[in-house]
Amino acid sequence: MFRFEHIDFLWSLAAIPLLAGLFLYVLWWKRKTAGKIGDPDLVKELIKNYSPQKFAGKFILFLLAFTACAFAAGGLKKPQGNQQVNRSGIDVVLAIDVSKSMLAQDIKPNRLERAKLLLGMLIDRLGNHRVGLVVFAGRAYIQMPLTADQNAARLYLSSVNTDMVPSQGTVIGDALKMSYAAFSAKEKKYKALVLLSDGEDHDESAGKIAEAMAADGVVINTVGIGSPEGSTIIDEATNEIKKDVDGNTVISKLNEKALKDIAAKGNGIYQLFGNSGDVVAKLEEQLNSMGSRTISETSGGSYTHYFTWFLAAALLLLLVELFISEKKNTTKRKAAKVALVTFGMLLSLTGIAQQENKLIKKGNDAYNKKEYSQAANQYRLVTDKNPANTTAQHNLGNALYKNNQGVDAVDAYDRALEAATTPEDKARIYYNKAVVLQNQKKLAECVEAYKAALRINPADEDARLNLQKALQQVKQKQQQDKQPKKPKEDPKKKEKEKKKDEEKNNNDLPKPQPSRLTKQEAEEKLKALMQEEKNLQEKLRKINAASVSKPEKDW
């Protein structure tokens, strides 16, 4: 069934009655001017070669060209029908806790928002894997069935909030059952569950369900959101701290033991939420280690676009109108020649558009296979011939970023912004550009890109959270810059100071004084000392001879 992609542009058709009125005014003005000349026979002679029919025909051709341009701007398209798409990957179900306890702010801005941010980063890295989404609190629901459409997954994830499930609590057992139901019963492996929760109100049946799922080939990974110390909960309705029926302040604490038990019985891993990048990297590594199998699914998202036909028709009509003269003696052969030339241009334009679409499709196939260099080459074949192709420029930026060519990726996004015509395209391009700049630590430019994306699409929560993170990084950098830096010591200068200190210490040591006695004086002093020693020995000998001997002590 045909439909228009940009129906707002069809309002331009309202100008057709105004143009018709302008044409009638011109006809009236011509008749009035001819009447002012005077003699009717003279006027008839002067305008004998003028053809009112051709003048009207030229106007009709112009109106048809204007209408064709309006339809081209509206973007008429038709679904091509279902297509079989083959991908190599696994099935991944993401289960997120949406109970009121996830509003606790021990993780800023709160547990739920950080959990959504983490899952958004994980979805970006899932590649060819199919992904499904389950939300749970007192009950569990499948928010999105398994699909390879990552854009749809991000859209569903952005709408997650604590009001989605009317019954409160954290019944992880129901979440496991609902996630299990989302998988294909025919598959006995290549199935993984990533569950994010604070683990409160854990029911005893969850462990048995996890064991049953593991026996059927499902690997269960859990992520604990929160802190063991706990935090108060802000009630969204009253914006006050939540209290129980007895008036006591509610403290929500992370139940790590329950989540570790589920992960152990599910043959998966448990992680305490800390750095989002580290948690996502470990989850990605664990999922990729499970191997992959070919996934076949039916895709109905492919369309045949007809805007090139309308543009070509408008160009043809304008060229014919240009070469048609208002004189009666204009040859028909000349008009036919112009029509043939224009028809050839129409076929050429259509062929070029189809060739560009084929190249973009080849690039997308290479991108999905993670052959980013090959994908970039296919996109460049399009952008080199047609720099105004927004899709090719945008996809080229994505491929270059994945190939660790961040600077070139930003240039490609800038060219895509120049060619983009719809607000949706511009918002997506600004967001991707900001992500690349943030990874390059170009924080000032990154902040401006996120702001530009939010000005176009204020509902983009991913852009809002990433902007907050970028602003925090800017603040931290400013604080680091304000701290005084210690001057680097010159090793040569330090060595010189060390030698100088050693010389100073050596100079402080006592030095021997030179003798001031003559040789004769020295000999006399030596003789006097020897005589004193002799007298002392004689005195000791006499004392010992006079002393009475005493018996020795026996202890």
Side-chain angles (χ1 to χ4, degrees), residues 480-540:
Q480 292 175 356
D481 293 340
K482 289 180 179 179
Q483 294 179 355
K485 296 182 179 180
K486 296 182 179 180
K488 295 183 178 180
E489 295 183 356
D490 186 358
K492 294 183 179 180
K493 184 178 179 181
K494 188 176 181 180
E495 186 66 25
K496 289 181 179 179
E497 292 179 352
K498 184 177 180 181
K499 290 182 178 179
K500 190 180 292 184
D501 291 340
E502 290 178 352
E503 292 176 357
K504 183 178 179 182
N505 292 335
N506 292 335
N507 292 334
D508 292 339
L509 293 174
K511 297 180 179 180
Q513 296 293 328
S515 177
R516 297 180 181 178
L517 298 176
T518 63
K519 184 177 181 180
Q520 184 179 357
E521 291 175 343
E523 290 177 352
E524 290 177 355
K525 283 187 174 289
L526 181 60
K527 288 179 180 181
L529 289 173
M530 290 175 67
Q531 184 61 41
E532 287 181 4
E533 184 179 0
K534 185 177 180 181
N535 295 336
L536 180 60
Q537 291 293 338
E538 182 65 24
K539 186 176 181 181
L540 289 174

